[in-house]
Amino acid sequence: MAAPFPVPAVTDNPDGWGPCTVPTHLKDIPFAPFNKGDKLGRVADWTQGAFGQKYPGRGFQQGGIPVFNFFANEEEESFHLVDNRPVKTTKFGAGRRYQQNQRFQQQRRDGKDGRGGPEVDKKKGGAQQQKKQQYYGRDNQRQTQYSSSVEIGADWQVMEQITTTSLSRLNYSPGEPEDLLACGSLEYYDKSYDNLAVKKEKPLEKTKRIFRTVTTSDDPIMQQLAASGKARVFAVDSILTHLMCMQSSKYGWDLLATRKGNKLFFDWRSSSKFTLLTVNETAPEAVPEDKDNINGMHHLALEATAINQNFSQQVLIKDGGKLDFGQPSPFASPSDAGMLASCAYKYRKWRLASGSDAPEIVVRCEVDAALRTAEGAAPQTVLIKALNEYDMKSQDYRKRLENQKGAVLLSETKNNKFKVAKWTASALLSGADQIKLGFVSRATPRDVSNHVVLAMHGLKPRDAARSINLEMDNCWGIVRALCDMLLALDEGTYLLVKDPNKELLRVYSVPLDAFAAVSAPAEDDDLDGVDMGGEGGVVPVDVTVPILPNISSAVAADVED
């Protein structure tokens, strides 16, 4: 039998929701809604009233519903809390601090600082204050946006996109290189420059010698080696070190990778500024991209390139003594008449993987000078480079080089990490014994044509690599990965473009005639008053010159051997 279920009485309220009547024990009690945001006051708070009047909005406040607040009766006003404990005071007293604060506020209202002097705008401040505000604070660390080195075509197809930060995990050791050919001649380095000091500064001389900068595909020896099947990948040291050290690069750049048959050639575009040196590329304070500013990125690149060319020839002994490598320069012509700059070329080969059918790479390496050693020992080869100062307020070579040369070198290495890493990698690739670094400054802050040599510093390439954390195994791992990726693509022309504002390297497939109609910029537009020395003061790019006939026969004989 089912249990009985009594139906409860249901009261209907025709006027709205809720009960029709209020229970007796809840009658005359005010109703107040409860929200989570309501603040509940203390049951008894002797200080709430006074504290709340002086500092509204702080501490524990009475709830938002006034009907529940506690109010003292008039009978309780005669009650006072007595505290006989001694009051603790500081050395100067709270009252004195309060008076000082009021006096300071009064002086601020009168337009004076706390010491009675005129008020200083803290937002502007002096040079040091502006420098601190520049390096601290998230709003002041906005990255400068640079333009791309090349205009991307609408019909270009993105083949690969590589994050440069991920390249640090790559490693490969190619072993010792094989020397295929050495040509050119070197003048000897003048050791008297090692004793150069700031007080004995020397003006930088403008050389009239000719500099030949030839890309990979225009090198006749590279063409001979490629035709004989000596390797599958061909590049020059400036291009290869650019790829090796791309993780430190901040500016935008681009390189051509051409697939012909089973071979790969790395080149720069004829109209690009790839051969120009950068200045303060990795410095905390970004260099402005302003063509009208002598301290802008474009002008500084021209100035640094001119300084390095002039400096590399000034520190040589011009007595006719040379270190001959057995073959003349492949870029000399009968009209040069001994006006070529001191430079020697080594064609060296590395294996990019283990195995008999592994791809190999041939690199044209350069050295700038020779160094005489003890009697009976073979001369050493040297790379000569220069670090130049343009902002005398930030670094001030003349004051710091005398006693703080190491600190200046460390600061310049941090501000030019990409450039210094490329120089170090080039020295290791060529097998150079030393790197000679010169410190060059402007004669006056606004003079970009006249410079002075202040000091000299010598480095061993391996020591320099350790000081800047340059791992050649990682560099070769990057080259091997890029070559494997490009060799797997179809025949054609590819453009490697470094994004100037992101840590990205994009590989585009471009038409064969993509850059055929692009002419090199006019000399007058590029110089802008900077004397580059050499042939009319320009930096030659993609130079094609007649080759001496005995060079071709020498290469052919070396290939047959």
Side-chain angles (χ1 to χ4, degrees):
M1 182 177 179
F5 176 73
V7 178
V10 179
T11 304
D12 183 22
N13 187 355
D15 297 330
W17 297 93
C20 298
T21 59
V22 179
T24 305
H25 62 281
L26 297 178
K27 191 174 183 181
D28 298 330
I29 293 180
F31 171 76
F34 175 75
N35 296 320
K36 292 183 179 182
D38 292 342
K39 296 182 180 180
L40 302 179
R42 293 188 178 96
V43 175
D45 190 353
W46 303 99
T47 62
Q48 180 66 33
F51 185 81
Q53 293 176 5
K54 186 174 182 181
Y55 303 101
R58 299 185 184 181
F60 293 93
Q61 296 183 357
Q62 297 288 351
I65 310 304
V67 295
F68 295 118
N69 293 343
F70 171 78
F71 298 97
N73 295 329
E74 296 179 359
E75 299 175 357
E76 298 178 356
E77 293 181 356
S78 60
F79 176 79
H80 297 282
L81 180 65
V82 179
D83 188 1
N84 295 325
R85 292 179 298 177
V87 180
K88 295 182 180 180
T89 59
T90 59
K91 182 178 179 181
F92 298 101
R96 181 172 177 177
R97 186 183 300 111
Y98 177 75
Q99 293 174 1
Q100 289 177 345
N101 188 30
Q102 279 209 337
R103 184 173 70 250
F104 179 76
Q105 292 180 359
Q106 179 65 32
Q107 291 174 345
R108 288 291 299 271
R109 286 192 293 267
D110 295 341
K112 300 179 179 180
D113 61 4
R115 293 167 293 186
E119 185 180 2
V120 179
D121 190 354
K122 298 297 182 183
K123 294 183 179 179
K124 296 181 180 180
Q128 295 295 329
Q129 186 71 18
Q130 293 178 359
K131 194 171 184 179
K132 289 181 180 179
Q133 292 180 359
Q134 182 175 5
Y135 296 137
Y136 297 96
R138 298 179 63 182
D139 294 338
N140 295 326
Q141 289 184 343
R142 297 169 183 167
Q143 184 181 4
T144 303
Q145 298 293 319
Y146 291 108
S147 59
S148 177
S149 61
V150 63
E151 184 178 354
I152 307 301
D155 56 342
W156 296 4
Q157 180 183 359
V158 179
M159 306 301 294
E160 293 288 344
Q161 184 168 284
I162 304 170
T163 305
T164 56
T165 55
S166 64
L167 301 176
S168 59
R169 299 189 295 267
L170 301 175
N171 283 285
Y172 175 68
S173 179
E176 293 298 322
E178 177 186 353
D179 290 321
L180 301 179
L181 182 67
C183 51
S185 59
L186 297 175
E187 292 180 325
Y188 287 96
Y189 170 73
D190 188 355
K191 292 183 180 180
S192 64
Y193 277 86
D194 292 337
N195 302 323
L196 190 64
V198 175
K199 296 180 181 179
K200 301 177 182 178
E201 64 181 31
K202 292 186 177 182
L204 183 65
E205 302 172 0
K206 296 181 176 62
T207 182
K208 297 301 181 182
R209 293 187 172 183
I210 302 171
F211 292 84
R212 292 269 163 75
T213 308
V214 184
T215 190
T216 308
S217 298
D218 293 338
D219 188 334
I221 295 182
M222 285 291 195
Q223 297 173 5
Q224 291 272 353
L225 295 174
S228 61
K230 272 291 185 179
R232 295 182 59 189
V233 185
F234 299 87
V236 297
D237 58 352
S238 59
I239 292 178
L240 197 68
T241 55
H242 212 91
L243 297 175
M244 287 179 168
C245 307
M246 71 170 73
Q247 300 174 83
S248 304
S249 175
K250 299 299 180 184
Y251 296 161
W253 47 265
D254 60 274
L255 287 170
L256 281 172
T258 308
R259 288 274 288 107
K260 296 179 181 178
N262 64 340
K263 295 182 175 54
L264 174 63
F265 296 85
F266 288 101
D267 297 280
W268 58 73
R269 292 184 298 109
S270 58
S271 58
S272 71
K273 300 176 182 178
F274 178 83
T275 55
L276 298 182
L277 299 174
T278 60
V279 179
N280 282 15
E281 181 175 355
T282 56
E285 184 178 357
V287 178
E289 190 178 13
D290 186 3
K291 291 187 176 181
D292 297 330
N293 186 358
I294 63 170
N295 292 333
M297 188 170 65
H298 176 71
H299 281 265
L300 289 178
L302 289 169
E303 183 181 359
T305 307
I307 289 173
N308 273 265
Q309 289 184 352
N310 295 329
F311 179 74
S312 66
Q313 305 304 306
Q314 178 175 340
V315 297
L316 303 178
I317 302 176
K318 302 175 181 63
D319 59 354
K322 293 184 178 181
L323 176 62
D324 194 358
F325 283 82
Q327 298 292 338
S329 172
F331 314 120
S333 64
S335 61
D336 291 338
M339 289 301 293
L340 276 180
S342 172
C343 186
Y345 305 94
K346 295 181 179 180
Y347 293 83
R348 316 185 87 184
K349 182 174 67 173
W350 285 267
R351 187 176 294 274
L352 293 178
S354 58
S356 57
D357 57 344
E360 295 174 321
I361 181 172
V362 172
V363 184
R364 187 189 73 208
C365 307
E366 299 182 10
V367 287
D368 299 320
L371 183 64
R372 289 191 176 97
T373 55
E375 293 184 4
Q380 296 181 349
T381 54
V382 181
L383 253 67
I384 300 176
K385 305 296 179 183
L387 296 168
N388 61 296
E389 175 193 36
Y390 70 95
D391 187 4
M392 300 181 182
K393 295 181 180 179
S394 62
Q395 191 62 269
D396 203 348
Y397 280 2
R398 289 170 173 81
K399 288 184 179 180
R400 301 185 61 193
L401 278 176
E402 195 70 32
N403 301 317
Q404 299 178 340
K405 184 185 292 186
V408 174
L409 179 62
L410 179 61
S411 176
E412 287 294 326
T413 302
K414 290 182 178 179
N415 293 340
N416 300 276
K417 184 178 180 181
F418 181 53
K419 179 170 65 176
V420 175
K422 284 185 59 178
W423 290 345
T424 306
S426 296
L428 292 172
L429 290 177
S430 64
D433 299 288
Q434 289 191 40
I435 302 175
K436 293 292 186 179
L437 281 178
F439 295 90
V440 180
S441 180
R442 293 177 178 174
T444 58
R446 304 293 296 179
D447 189 356
V448 298
S449 299
N450 298 302
H451 301 80
V452 292
V453 184
L454 300 175
M456 201 78 178
H457 186 73
L459 289 169
K460 295 291 183 63
R462 295 193 181 277
D463 295 340
R466 281 193 294 268
S467 65
I468 62 176
N469 296 324
L470 179 66
E471 296 289 341
M472 288 304 293
D473 287 351
N474 174 242
C475 295
W476 279 111
I478 295 172
V479 172
R480 177 186 178 183
L482 288 175
C483 292
D484 290 344
M485 178 195 67
L486 293 170
L487 287 172
L489 299 176
D490 297 333
E491 291 190 38
T493 304
Y494 300 92
L495 189 69
L496 283 66
V497 181
K498 164 65 171 60
D499 193 307
N501 304 309
K502 297 179 182 178
E503 302 295 332
L504 287 177
L505 178 69
R506 297 184 178 91
V507 181
Y508 291 92
S509 175
V510 299
L512 296 177
D513 58 346
F515 307 107
V518 180
S519 58
E523 296 178 5
D524 295 337
D525 296 339
D526 275 350
L527 293 180
D528 291 333
V530 179
D531 187 356
M532 302 295 294
E535 295 177 319
V538 298
V539 181
V541 178
D542 259 1
V543 179
T544 303
V545 296
I547 306 301
L548 296 179
N550 57 344
I551 287 292
S552 301
S553 59
V555 175
D558 182 77
V559 170
E560 291 176 359
D561 294 340

